[in-house]
Amino acid sequence: MPLPPSLGVFALASLLLVVSPGPAVIFIVTQGLHGGRRAGVVSALGIFAGGLVHVAAAVAGVSAILATSGALFSAMKWIGAVYLFYLGVKTLVRGGTGPVAAAALPNDRARFWRGAMVNLLNPKAIGFFVAFLPQFAEPDIGPLPPQLLILGMTFTLIALVSDALYGVFSGALSDMLNRSDVVGRWLSRVSGFTLIGLGAAAGLVGRTA
């Protein structure tokens, strides 16, 4: 197990990282604004599921492979950027969230898996598990896999709480604003263009972002 001082510093650093807007947070907020509190929380759970995959990859050593392969990292980054762009375009095409378009909204399962994919292909998350997480593992105190597991789960649980709060608050705002087809269409446009812009930004993120 990591030493308590190192774990405490890691937890604080993780908190500062997860509360800052990135692909995962912005995805959750746009889903909450677009579909309400339930949509925001379900999206946060999907992000959490994607984070668990990152933890498993770190423990298995996949993160070490990504750290040494610029081409593989770049491929993951661009796949994630294209996926965010695709979600943005689909949101714009789908239209508003009022009564007329309600049937076109994604269901909870779709939101969950979209959240998982967004985080799985999130350059910010990939960079964290490749460049940041291993710095807090200490070979002198024991095997690395258990330490990486503890650190990874600490990060993902902190992220889950923060992301769920983002989902609840953005969903509450949606409940107040989204009372007509006109407002629903504007929320859809904001969500769509935000995801498109996020995809474009994600494509420019460096290996250590």
Side-chain angles (χ1 to χ4, degrees):
M1 179 175 179
L3 297 174
S6 296
L7 188 58
V9 172
F10 175 80
L12 178 59
S14 297
L15 177 61
L16 295 175
L17 182 65
V18 300
V19 299
S20 63
V25 168
I26 294 177
F27 174 77
I28 292 167
V29 170
T30 58
Q31 293 301 300
L33 288 174
H34 200 49
R37 280 174 284 195
R38 182 182 179 91
V41 173
V42 169
S43 299
L45 291 174
I47 295 292
F48 175 69
L52 293 179
V53 176
H54 281 299
V55 173
V59 174
V62 176
S63 291
I65 296 174
L66 281 173
T68 59
S69 176
L72 185 56
F73 182 90
S74 294
M76 292 287 292
K77 177 186 71 174
W78 281 107
I79 292 172
V82 170
Y83 185 68
L84 288 169
F85 191 88
Y86 159 77
L87 289 180
V89 171
K90 190 170 183 178
T91 299
L92 290 175
V93 171
R94 185 171 57 228
T97 59
V100 175
L105 287 172
N107 57 29
D108 288 346
R109 178 178 296 179
R111 286 195 178 96
F112 177 88
W113 287 113
R114 287 180 184 180
M117 289 298 297
V118 165
N119 202 24
L120 188 60
L121 301 172
N122 179 1
K124 182 179 176 181
I126 296 171
F128 173 84
F129 282 95
V130 167
F132 187 74
L133 182 70
Q135 296 181 23
F136 287 85
E138 304 176 61
D140 294 340
I141 67 173
L144 291 180
Q147 295 185 59
L148 293 174
L149 177 61
I150 292 172
L151 292 169
M153 289 305 301
T154 298
F155 174 79
T156 52
L157 289 173
I158 291 173
L160 175 60
V161 174
S162 174
D163 290 345
L165 289 175
Y166 271 116
V168 169
F169 290 138
S170 62
L173 183 60
S174 173
D175 292 341
M176 291 186 290
L177 296 177
N178 189 18
R179 300 185 185 280
S180 70
D181 284 333
V182 174
V183 175
R185 282 192 291 270
W186 276 105
L187 286 176
S188 181
R189 290 170 185 171
V190 170
S191 298
F193 282 119
T194 298
L195 289 169
I196 290 173
L198 192 59
L204 302 177
V205 174
R207 289 186 64 186
T208 59

mmCIF file of all heavy atoms in Angstrom, residues 124-154:
data_model
loop_
_atom_site.group_PDB
_atom_site.id
_atom_site.type_symbol
_atom_site.label_atom_id
_atom_site.label_comp_id
_atom_site.label_asym_id
_atom_site.label_seq_id
_atom_site.Cartn_x
_atom_site.Cartn_y
_atom_site.Cartn_z
ATOM 1 N N LYS A 124 -7.202 13.254 -21.532
ATOM 2 C CA LYS A 124 -6.850 13.694 -20.188
ATOM 3 C C LYS A 124 -6.700 12.501 -19.257
ATOM 4 O O LYS A 124 -5.741 12.423 -18.470
ATOM 5 C CB LYS A 124 -7.923 14.651 -19.660
ATOM 6 C CG LYS A 124 -7.647 15.211 -18.269
ATOM 7 C CD LYS A 124 -8.760 16.164 -17.866
ATOM 8 C CE LYS A 124 -8.563 16.677 -16.439
ATOM 9 N NZ LYS A 124 -9.663 17.581 -16.025
ATOM 10 N N ALA A 125 -7.621 11.541 -19.345
ATOM 11 C CA ALA A 125 -7.543 10.351 -18.498
ATOM 12 C C ALA A 125 -6.363 9.466 -18.895
ATOM 13 O O ALA A 125 -5.645 8.944 -18.033
ATOM 14 C CB ALA A 125 -8.846 9.557 -18.594
ATOM 15 N N ILE A 126 -6.169 9.312 -20.198
ATOM 16 C CA ILE A 126 -5.038 8.499 -20.663
ATOM 17 C C ILE A 126 -3.724 9.090 -20.179
ATOM 18 O O ILE A 126 -2.851 8.385 -19.664
ATOM 19 C CB ILE A 126 -5.052 8.387 -22.199
ATOM 20 C CG1 ILE A 126 -6.294 7.640 -22.678
ATOM 21 C CG2 ILE A 126 -3.802 7.669 -22.697
ATOM 22 C CD1 ILE A 126 -6.487 7.668 -24.175
ATOM 23 N N GLY A 127 -3.584 10.415 -20.335
ATOM 24 C CA GLY A 127 -2.362 11.072 -19.879
ATOM 25 C C GLY A 127 -2.146 10.931 -18.388
ATOM 26 O O GLY A 127 -1.017 10.755 -17.922
ATOM 27 N N PHE A 128 -3.247 10.977 -17.628
ATOM 28 C CA PHE A 128 -3.134 10.825 -16.176
ATOM 29 C C PHE A 128 -2.588 9.458 -15.800
ATOM 30 O O PHE A 128 -1.645 9.342 -15.006
ATOM 31 C CB PHE A 128 -4.503 11.029 -15.523
ATOM 32 C CG PHE A 128 -4.529 10.727 -14.057
ATOM 33 C CD1 PHE A 128 -4.141 11.675 -13.129
ATOM 34 C CD2 PHE A 128 -4.929 9.477 -13.588
ATOM 35 C CE1 PHE A 128 -4.154 11.390 -11.774
ATOM 36 C CE2 PHE A 128 -4.950 9.188 -12.234
ATOM 37 C CZ PHE A 128 -4.552 10.153 -11.323
ATOM 38 N N PHE A 129 -3.168 8.415 -16.368
ATOM 39 C CA PHE A 129 -2.752 7.064 -15.998
ATOM 40 C C PHE A 129 -1.394 6.692 -16.595
ATOM 41 O O PHE A 129 -0.715 5.798 -16.087
ATOM 42 C CB PHE A 129 -3.810 6.053 -16.425
ATOM 43 C CG PHE A 129 -4.989 6.013 -15.495
ATOM 44 C CD1 PHE A 129 -6.123 6.761 -15.759
ATOM 45 C CD2 PHE A 129 -4.963 5.246 -14.342
ATOM 46 C CE1 PHE A 129 -7.211 6.743 -14.900
ATOM 47 C CE2 PHE A 129 -6.035 5.213 -13.469
ATOM 48 C CZ PHE A 129 -7.167 5.965 -13.745
ATOM 49 N N VAL A 130 -0.990 7.385 -17.666
ATOM 50 C CA VAL A 130 0.313 7.112 -18.272
ATOM 51 C C VAL A 130 1.427 7.876 -17.560
ATOM 52 O O VAL A 130 2.485 7.310 -17.256
ATOM 53 C CB VAL A 130 0.296 7.470 -19.773
ATOM 54 C CG1 VAL A 130 1.709 7.510 -20.346
ATOM 55 C CG2 VAL A 130 -0.544 6.465 -20.547
ATOM 56 N N ALA A 131 1.192 9.155 -17.290
ATOM 57 C CA ALA A 131 2.282 10.010 -16.827
ATOM 58 C C ALA A 131 2.216 10.371 -15.344
ATOM 59 O O ALA A 131 3.258 10.618 -14.726
ATOM 60 C CB ALA A 131 2.302 11.297 -17.657
ATOM 61 N N PHE A 132 1.025 10.431 -14.771
ATOM 62 C CA PHE A 132 0.887 10.951 -13.409
ATOM 63 C C PHE A 132 0.797 9.855 -12.361
ATOM 64 O O PHE A 132 1.509 9.873 -11.352
ATOM 65 C CB PHE A 132 -0.354 11.849 -13.337
ATOM 66 C CG PHE A 132 -0.508 12.574 -12.022
ATOM 67 C CD1 PHE A 132 0.308 13.650 -11.708
ATOM 68 C CD2 PHE A 132 -1.474 12.176 -11.108
ATOM 69 C CE1 PHE A 132 0.168 14.315 -10.496
ATOM 70 C CE2 PHE A 132 -1.623 12.841 -9.903
ATOM 71 C CZ PHE A 132 -0.803 13.912 -9.605
ATOM 72 N N LEU A 133 -0.066 8.890 -12.591
ATOM 73 C CA LEU A 133 -0.295 7.828 -11.607
ATOM 74 C C LEU A 133 0.984 7.088 -11.202
ATOM 75 O O LEU A 133 1.238 6.904 -10.005
ATOM 76 C CB LEU A 133 -1.334 6.847 -12.147
ATOM 77 C CG LEU A 133 -1.741 5.690 -11.216
ATOM 78 C CD1 LEU A 133 -2.557 6.209 -10.045
ATOM 79 C CD2 LEU A 133 -2.549 4.652 -11.981
ATOM 80 N N PRO A 134 1.828 6.669 -12.162
ATOM 81 C CA PRO A 134 3.021 5.891 -11.773
ATOM 82 C C PRO A 134 3.985 6.648 -10.874
ATOM 83 O O PRO A 134 4.784 6.022 -10.163
ATOM 84 C CB PRO A 134 3.680 5.574 -13.127
ATOM 85 C CG PRO A 134 2.565 5.651 -14.116
ATOM 86 C CD PRO A 134 1.686 6.753 -13.618
ATOM 87 N N GLN A 135 3.932 7.980 -10.871
ATOM 88 C CA GLN A 135 4.852 8.760 -10.049
ATOM 89 C C GLN A 135 4.623 8.537 -8.559
ATOM 90 O O GLN A 135 5.523 8.789 -7.743
ATOM 91 C CB GLN A 135 4.714 10.248 -10.381
ATOM 92 C CG GLN A 135 5.110 10.611 -11.794
ATOM 93 C CD GLN A 135 4.981 12.094 -12.063
ATOM 94 O OE1 GLN A 135 4.999 12.903 -11.145
ATOM 95 N NE2 GLN A 135 4.826 12.463 -13.332
ATOM 96 N N PHE A 136 3.430 8.075 -8.189
ATOM 97 C CA PHE A 136 3.113 7.899 -6.769
ATOM 98 C C PHE A 136 3.279 6.449 -6.319
ATOM 99 O O PHE A 136 3.055 6.144 -5.145
ATOM 100 C CB PHE A 136 1.681 8.370 -6.497
ATOM 101 C CG PHE A 136 1.533 9.864 -6.541
ATOM 102 C CD1 PHE A 136 1.319 10.516 -7.744
ATOM 103 C CD2 PHE A 136 1.640 10.620 -5.387
ATOM 104 C CE1 PHE A 136 1.194 11.892 -7.791
ATOM 105 C CE2 PHE A 136 1.522 11.999 -5.413
ATOM 106 C CZ PHE A 136 1.299 12.641 -6.633
ATOM 107 N N ALA A 137 3.656 5.573 -7.222
ATOM 108 C CA ALA A 137 3.967 4.190 -6.837
ATOM 109 C C ALA A 137 5.416 4.128 -6.379
ATOM 110 O O ALA A 137 6.297 4.732 -6.988
ATOM 111 C CB ALA A 137 3.740 3.251 -8.014
ATOM 112 N N GLU A 138 5.655 3.410 -5.290
ATOM 113 C CA GLU A 138 6.985 3.365 -4.689
ATOM 114 C C GLU A 138 7.503 1.923 -4.682
ATOM 115 O O GLU A 138 7.108 1.118 -3.836
ATOM 116 C CB GLU A 138 6.938 3.927 -3.264
ATOM 117 C CG GLU A 138 6.374 5.357 -3.210
ATOM 118 C CD GLU A 138 6.241 5.865 -1.789
ATOM 119 O OE1 GLU A 138 7.285 5.958 -1.102
ATOM 120 O OE2 GLU A 138 5.108 6.152 -1.366
ATOM 121 N N PRO A 139 8.404 1.594 -5.604
ATOM 122 C CA PRO A 139 8.920 0.216 -5.702
ATOM 123 C C PRO A 139 9.602 -0.265 -4.423
ATOM 124 O O PRO A 139 9.613 -1.467 -4.146
ATOM 125 C CB PRO A 139 9.925 0.303 -6.855
ATOM 126 C CG PRO A 139 9.515 1.508 -7.639
ATOM 127 C CD PRO A 139 8.963 2.472 -6.639
ATOM 128 N N ASP A 140 10.146 0.670 -3.635
ATOM 129 C CA ASP A 140 10.892 0.281 -2.432
ATOM 130 C C ASP A 140 10.008 -0.305 -1.334
ATOM 131 O O ASP A 140 10.509 -1.007 -0.442
ATOM 132 C CB ASP A 140 11.649 1.490 -1.862
ATOM 133 C CG ASP A 140 12.735 1.979 -2.806
ATOM 134 O OD1 ASP A 140 13.150 1.184 -3.684
ATOM 135 O OD2 ASP A 140 13.148 3.138 -2.674
ATOM 136 N N ILE A 141 8.697 -0.031 -1.373
ATOM 137 C CA ILE A 141 7.844 -0.487 -0.277
ATOM 138 C C ILE A 141 7.030 -1.726 -0.629
ATOM 139 O O ILE A 141 6.311 -2.246 0.216
ATOM 140 C CB ILE A 141 6.892 0.635 0.196
ATOM 141 C CG1 ILE A 141 5.878 0.977 -0.903
ATOM 142 C CG2 ILE A 141 7.667 1.875 0.601
ATOM 143 C CD1 ILE A 141 4.810 1.947 -0.445
ATOM 144 N N GLY A 142 7.124 -2.185 -1.870
ATOM 145 C CA GLY A 142 6.381 -3.392 -2.230
ATOM 146 C C GLY A 142 6.091 -3.466 -3.711
ATOM 147 O O GLY A 142 6.480 -2.587 -4.486
ATOM 148 N N PRO A 143 5.371 -4.513 -4.143
ATOM 149 C CA PRO A 143 5.028 -4.701 -5.558
ATOM 150 C C PRO A 143 4.211 -3.522 -6.093
ATOM 151 O O PRO A 143 3.398 -2.927 -5.369
ATOM 152 C CB PRO A 143 4.207 -5.985 -5.566
ATOM 153 C CG PRO A 143 4.584 -6.687 -4.299
ATOM 154 C CD PRO A 143 4.863 -5.606 -3.299
ATOM 155 N N LEU A 144 4.403 -3.201 -7.364
ATOM 156 C CA LEU A 144 3.725 -2.058 -7.955
ATOM 157 C C LEU A 144 2.236 -2.286 -8.250
ATOM 158 O O LEU A 144 1.429 -1.374 -8.041
ATOM 159 C CB LEU A 144 4.444 -1.635 -9.241
ATOM 160 C CG LEU A 144 5.832 -1.021 -9.058
ATOM 161 C CD1 LEU A 144 6.416 -0.648 -10.413
ATOM 162 C CD2 LEU A 144 5.765 0.202 -8.158
ATOM 163 N N PRO A 145 1.821 -3.470 -8.743
ATOM 164 C CA PRO A 145 0.400 -3.631 -9.102
ATOM 165 C C PRO A 145 -0.577 -3.305 -7.975
ATOM 166 O O PRO A 145 -1.564 -2.577 -8.224
ATOM 167 C CB PRO A 145 0.314 -5.099 -9.535
ATOM 168 C CG PRO A 145 1.670 -5.387 -10.088
ATOM 169 C CD PRO A 145 2.611 -4.641 -9.195
ATOM 170 N N PRO A 146 -0.375 -3.784 -6.733
ATOM 171 C CA PRO A 146 -1.328 -3.415 -5.675
ATOM 172 C C PRO A 146 -1.349 -1.912 -5.399
ATOM 173 O O PRO A 146 -2.414 -1.348 -5.118
ATOM 174 C CB PRO A 146 -0.816 -4.186 -4.452
ATOM 175 C CG PRO A 146 -0.009 -5.308 -5.009
ATOM 176 C CD PRO A 146 0.625 -4.758 -6.241
ATOM 177 N N GLN A 147 -0.194 -1.274 -5.496
ATOM 178 C CA GLN A 147 -0.148 0.172 -5.279
ATOM 179 C C GLN A 147 -0.908 0.910 -6.378
ATOM 180 O O GLN A 147 -1.666 1.848 -6.105
ATOM 181 C CB GLN A 147 1.299 0.661 -5.248
ATOM 182 C CG GLN A 147 2.121 0.125 -4.087
ATOM 183 C CD GLN A 147 3.506 0.743 -4.063
ATOM 184 O OE1 GLN A 147 3.651 1.958 -3.967
ATOM 185 N NE2 GLN A 147 4.541 -0.091 -4.160
ATOM 186 N N LEU A 148 -0.702 0.491 -7.611
ATOM 187 C CA LEU A 148 -1.407 1.126 -8.721
ATOM 188 C C LEU A 148 -2.919 0.920 -8.607
ATOM 189 O O LEU A 148 -3.706 1.808 -8.946
ATOM 190 C CB LEU A 148 -0.902 0.560 -10.048
ATOM 191 C CG LEU A 148 0.544 0.907 -10.407
ATOM 192 C CD1 LEU A 148 0.974 0.164 -11.670
ATOM 193 C CD2 LEU A 148 0.713 2.414 -10.601
ATOM 194 N N LEU A 149 -3.317 -0.244 -8.103
ATOM 195 C CA LEU A 149 -4.741 -0.514 -7.914
ATOM 196 C C LEU A 149 -5.342 0.429 -6.873
ATOM 197 O O LEU A 149 -6.407 1.015 -7.089
ATOM 198 C CB LEU A 149 -4.943 -1.965 -7.488
ATOM 199 C CG LEU A 149 -6.390 -2.386 -7.185
ATOM 200 C CD1 LEU A 149 -7.267 -2.226 -8.419
ATOM 201 C CD2 LEU A 149 -6.429 -3.827 -6.688
ATOM 202 N N ILE A 150 -4.654 0.591 -5.745
ATOM 203 C CA ILE A 150 -5.149 1.471 -4.680
ATOM 204 C C ILE A 150 -5.204 2.919 -5.165
ATOM 205 O O ILE A 150 -6.193 3.636 -4.961
ATOM 206 C CB ILE A 150 -4.266 1.349 -3.429
ATOM 207 C CG1 ILE A 150 -4.430 -0.047 -2.815
ATOM 208 C CG2 ILE A 150 -4.624 2.431 -2.409
ATOM 209 C CD1 ILE A 150 -3.456 -0.337 -1.695
ATOM 210 N N LEU A 151 -4.140 3.356 -5.827
ATOM 211 C CA LEU A 151 -4.102 4.727 -6.337
ATOM 212 C C LEU A 151 -5.184 4.942 -7.386
ATOM 213 O O LEU A 151 -5.882 5.965 -7.374
ATOM 214 C CB LEU A 151 -2.718 5.019 -6.927
ATOM 215 C CG LEU A 151 -1.555 5.084 -5.942
ATOM 216 C CD1 LEU A 151 -0.223 5.113 -6.693
ATOM 217 C CD2 LEU A 151 -1.677 6.310 -5.035
ATOM 218 N N GLY A 152 -5.321 3.988 -8.296
ATOM 219 C CA GLY A 152 -6.318 4.122 -9.350
ATOM 220 C C GLY A 152 -7.734 4.159 -8.815
ATOM 221 O O GLY A 152 -8.566 4.963 -9.262
ATOM 222 N N MET A 153 -8.039 3.301 -7.834
ATOM 223 C CA MET A 153 -9.375 3.289 -7.258
ATOM 224 C C MET A 153 -9.637 4.555 -6.452
ATOM 225 O O MET A 153 -10.772 5.062 -6.432
ATOM 226 C CB MET A 153 -9.553 2.045 -6.385
ATOM 227 C CG MET A 153 -9.647 0.744 -7.165
ATOM 228 S SD MET A 153 -10.952 0.764 -8.424
ATOM 229 C CE MET A 153 -12.413 1.083 -7.419
ATOM 230 N N THR A 154 -8.611 5.073 -5.785
ATOM 231 C CA THR A 154 -8.760 6.341 -5.065
ATOM 232 C C THR A 154 -9.173 7.446 -6.029
ATOM 233 O O THR A 154 -10.099 8.224 -5.769
ATOM 234 C CB THR A 154 -7.445 6.720 -4.363
ATOM 235 O OG1 THR A 154 -7.114 5.723 -3.405
ATOM 236 C CG2 THR A 154 -7.573 8.064 -3.658
#
